[in-house]
Amino acid sequence: MQLVLDQEQQELRSAVRGLLAEHAPPQRVRELAEADGHDARLWRRLSAELGVTGLVVPEEHGGAGAGHVERAVVLEELGRALAPVPFLASAVLATDVLLALDDTAAQAELLPAMVSGELVAAVAWDQESVPSATRRDGAWVVDGRARRVVSGDIADVVLVQATTGQGTAWFRVRGEHVARTPLRTLDPTRRLVDLDFAAAPAEPLSTSDPDAVRARVRDLAAVALSAEQLGGMARVLEMTAEYAKVRVQFGRAIGSFQGVKHRLADMCCALEQAEAAVRYAAWAADAAAEELPLAAALVQVLVAPATFQAAADTVQLHGGIGYTWEHDAHLYYKRAKTSELLLGTPDQNRARLADLLQV
Amino acid sequence: MSTPESPARDHHRSSGDATPPPADDGFRAKAREFLARHAPGPMEGLDAAEQLRIAKRFQAAAYDAGLIGITWPAEYGGQGLTAAEQQAYDEEAAHHDLPTGVFMVGMGMCGPTLLDLGTHEQKARYVPPLLRGDEIWCQLFSEPGAGSDVASLQTRAVRDGDEWVVNGQKVWTSGAQFADFGALLARTDPDVPKHRGITMFIVDMHSPGVTVRPLRDMTGRAPFNEVYFDDVRLPADAVIGEVGGGWLAALTMLGHERVSIGGSVRRGSDPLAFDNLVDLARRRDRADDPVVRDRLAELYAHERALALFNTKLRQEAEAGASPGARGSIAKLAGAELLWRAVDTAGLIAGPALTSWEEGDAAAEEMAVAINGTPASSIAGGSNQVQRNIIGERLLGLPKEPQVDRDVPFRELKVGTQRTP
């Protein structure tokens, strides 16, 4: 088990952080949040220039052949910056679905374009309503509504697990065949849309076990999202500690008051443990497949509530200024709450962990 | 008391704490075999003297087998091996309930401080018997008027020719009743500000003028003591580090203490450990209750996260980065984890936690664990002190205003408001 980043991984971090500092400063994130929420130029820089969209993709499909530890590092940086790019949808969820399938043809066709950033793929993920697929005149069509699809607004391809007469199967549907209903979102930096399929032409994707694909993708998504949350937590701690050093009340910097200092110390304590857990989960994703489900459940249970607590404390410790629209604190607060619920509720996550522990 | 292995235990411990390099397989096998042969059985019902004899015998045997002081320098009796071997040993040791508590202060705090600050002669004289358990150490820091504010201590050491003469009182001294030596902080100059007039000494606890009195804690046991010094004479070479440099020495030792407490392997028999609370839930037919499962999962997550954090600290140390003040994170998180476990135990057992029949050893142990939990939030620096350390040294927040920083100790009001 390796919980400490090596030299190369640290260099990757610096490269991504540098790029985001230049091209996704908070002002830019805000502008996009109030516009269409997607920075196509930044996406091209991350994919075509830095090549970080293909870290877990094998080299034969245009990827870097690195691993989940590296991808987690990138996600941390994206989470720190609240970067307005479809990384979670395309480079995590959809990439992981394709890699978990046995469909080498679809992999060869889609992955290189996803890695290079030309193609954005999304996954119809929410289980509240599951679309259905039927065979009509020798071809498959999908019907139904997929709720809350991450980056579904800009997806060129949608991957969907749909019910068929015999269980479920995975399909790909081209963007032009779906009707998109943009949703107002708690988190303005992460777009979610409902997708309607009405006899949408669909190509089946080959796998012997559709549910195993889903399970693996869910675990990897939990690891990825936790890494993103970790980055957000690190950023709000940094922001709040800096503020506590310069903001003076009652003749002293507020960081010298134990009431403030101790909240920040607790945040630091939570962050350091979350970091160790995320490094472990990413390591397990690469090197210990049998430990991945437990590691993924662990980080979900641990990291999401800690991140929300940190974001909420950040608003609180900034006082009135932290509650304003102008301050960044609310962006992290909204992202943290959304991420806490995106893959399932905290009690569901804990029940799943208890199941895995055979409690 | 050993508990049957549960499936859950096998499952979530499958990775261990690290991936040991192949080279340590032989070492691990040696440790496992030694422990299987030499780990003492249950000690309930034995008197303290007998328990001490058993503990010393085990420590000496483990030392002779090359399993103590694994990462310590060979020059001073250690094995000179790496953290990977230490980790392998710790993992094997966690399967046993070993009587190592009495050596913890020496192994975790006094010994490492001697290695950092002691002279060659001090290290050569004291470290090997400390490791072998032939000589037990205690730490003489706290006083009735100097707990969190250790630097306001009033025990005095006055130079008299080639010797120092010590007078004063210490308190909360764990294991002083067994100790052969102590690391003592005493004031050697009351005319300078409090942090600058302190010196650390090695005290032979069998010296004339040293009196140890047991002090009962809130569990009803007496694991620690009051220690009185009446004209105790120490040789000049008893000074650890510099005369007047005792605060630096104290910080060195407190740093080791936090890492030692925070990073110590929780005993498998700790009734508040996750595995044992799962067993408790099964025994009480509460394991199907969704609320119990919810809390157990949460407890597991925090227990595991702390273990992973400690592993990460060790890996960083191997790579050459000192944990520094991050030991405070482990210490604080460990204390908070226990409170969470106490809550979970109450949720599981309900009113049955409040009373039990005479002779129910498991219930007794749980009661001691619950009543002993506040100690973790106080001993070795309270949670409040740890949070100050994290805030100030890790996050760089401004320090608390210190009104006594530049005032000669003689002019201060400290502790019980007496002036020395």
Side-chain angles (χ1 to χ4, degrees), chain A residues 1 256 261 272 291 355, chain B residues 15 19 293 326 392 400:
Chain A
M1 189 199 313
S256 72
K261 185 178 289 176
E272 292 267 7
E291 288 183 45
D355 286 344
Chain B
S15 76
T19 318
R293 286 164 49 81
R326 291 166 80 223
E392 290 166 14
E400 288 280 301

Side-chain angles (χ1 to χ4, degrees), chain B residues 66-375:
Chain B
L67 298 169
I68 301 291
I70 292 166
T71 61
W72 296 45
E75 184 184 4
Y76 300 116
Q79 298 298 319
L81 298 174
T82 70
E85 278 88 7
Q86 181 67 54
Q87 175 125 5
Y89 177 76
D90 289 346
E91 284 167 15
E92 294 302 321
H95 297 299
H96 302 270
D97 195 3
L98 300 176
T100 50
V102 74
F103 307 110
M104 260 187 69
V105 173
M107 297 282 301
M109 293 143 64
C110 301
T113 304
L114 279 173
L115 288 183
D116 285 344
L117 303 175
T119 60
H120 168 71
E121 288 72 24
Q122 287 171 336
K123 293 187 240 190
R125 158 65 188 86
Y126 293 108
V127 174
L130 178 156
L131 287 174
R132 196 169 184 274
D134 294 338
E135 291 171 354
I136 295 177
W137 281 68
C138 66
Q139 177 210 47
L140 300 153
F141 280 21
S142 294
E143 299 185 7
S148 288
D149 184 10
V150 173
S152 65
L153 60 89
Q154 299 187 61
T155 293
R156 295 183 311 281
V158 178
R159 187 83 194 223
D160 180 25
D162 277 350
E163 295 182 319
W164 294 88
V165 181
V166 180
N167 280 284
Q169 183 200 344
K170 295 289 172 178
V171 74
W172 319 125
T173 312
S174 300
Q177 70 271 42
F178 311 121
D180 302 292
F181 292 94
L184 168 77
L185 285 185
R187 185 160 308 282
T188 42
D189 187 352
D191 294 315
V192 295
K194 63 180 186 179
H195 292 95
R196 284 190 247 148
I198 298 170
T199 303
M200 186 182 280
F201 296 93
I202 298 169
V203 181
D204 182 340
M205 293 296 284
H206 308 297
S207 306
V210 177
T211 308
V212 176
R213 286 193 197 149
L215 186 61
R216 285 178 95 187
D217 69 17
M218 64 181 267
T219 69
R221 300 169 308 172
F224 43 55
N225 306 269
E226 299 175 299
V227 181
Y228 295 86
F229 295 91
D230 296 302
D231 290 329
V232 175
R233 303 191 77 86
L234 307 178
D237 64 4
V239 173
I240 302 176
E242 305 287 324
V243 173
W247 187 244
L248 171 71
L251 291 180
T252 302
M253 189 176 292
L254 291 170
H256 287 302
E257 177 173 16
R258 281 167 203 132
V259 172
S260 165
I261 294 175
S264 64
V265 178
R266 292 185 74 192
R267 292 184 314 138
S269 64
D270 181 347
L272 293 173
F274 169 79
D275 286 329
N276 294 323
L277 289 177
V278 171
D279 288 342
L280 181 68
R282 292 209 180 102
R283 285 202 306 277
R284 304 208 68 85
D285 246 354
R286 295 276 283 148
D288 292 331
D289 183 317
V291 178
V292 168
R293 286 164 49 81
D294 186 277
R295 295 282 186 82
L296 281 170
E298 205 169 22
L299 178 69
Y300 169 82
H302 287 273
E303 191 177 290
R304 187 91 168 101
L306 176 56
L308 288 163
F309 174 70
N310 282 319
T311 302
K312 183 160 174 281
L313 277 193
R314 276 198 297 272
Q315 290 183 357
E316 286 172 14
E318 274 175 76
S322 145
R326 291 166 80 223
S328 288
I329 291 180
K331 196 219 160 246
L332 175 60
E336 299 276 294
L337 178 65
L338 279 183
W339 289 112
R340 202 180 279 278
V342 168
D343 277 351
T344 308
L347 177 75
I348 292 167
L353 205 61
T354 63
S355 48
W356 57 94
E357 283 180 25
E358 188 70 47
D360 183 344
E364 289 283 349
E365 281 188 38
M366 177 61 90
V368 168
I370 290 171
N371 290 335
T373 293

Side-chain angles (χ1 to χ4, degrees), chain A residues 1 3 245 252 256 258 261-262 265-266 272-273 275 280 291 294 298 302 350-351 353 355 357-359, chain B residues 7-8 15 17 19 282 293-294 297 304 308 312 315 326 329 333 384 387-388 392 395-396 398 400-401:
Chain A
M1 189 199 313
L3 303 181
K245 288 176 203 173
R252 287 159 60 179
S256 72
Q258 291 194 347
K261 185 178 289 176
H262 289 190
D266 284 338
E272 292 267 7
Q273 291 178 86
E275 183 183 344
Y280 161 65
E291 288 183 45
L294 187 68
L298 166 70
L302 188 79
R350 290 192 292 266
L353 179 57
D355 286 344
L357 292 166
Q358 297 167 30
V359 171
Chain B
S15 76
D17 243 358
T19 318
R282 292 209 180 102
R293 286 164 49 81
D294 186 277
R304 187 91 168 101
L308 288 163
K312 183 160 174 281
Q315 290 183 357
R326 291 166 80 223
I329 291 180
Q384 286 68 30
R387 288 188 173 100
N388 279 355
E392 290 166 14
L395 300 176
E400 288 280 301

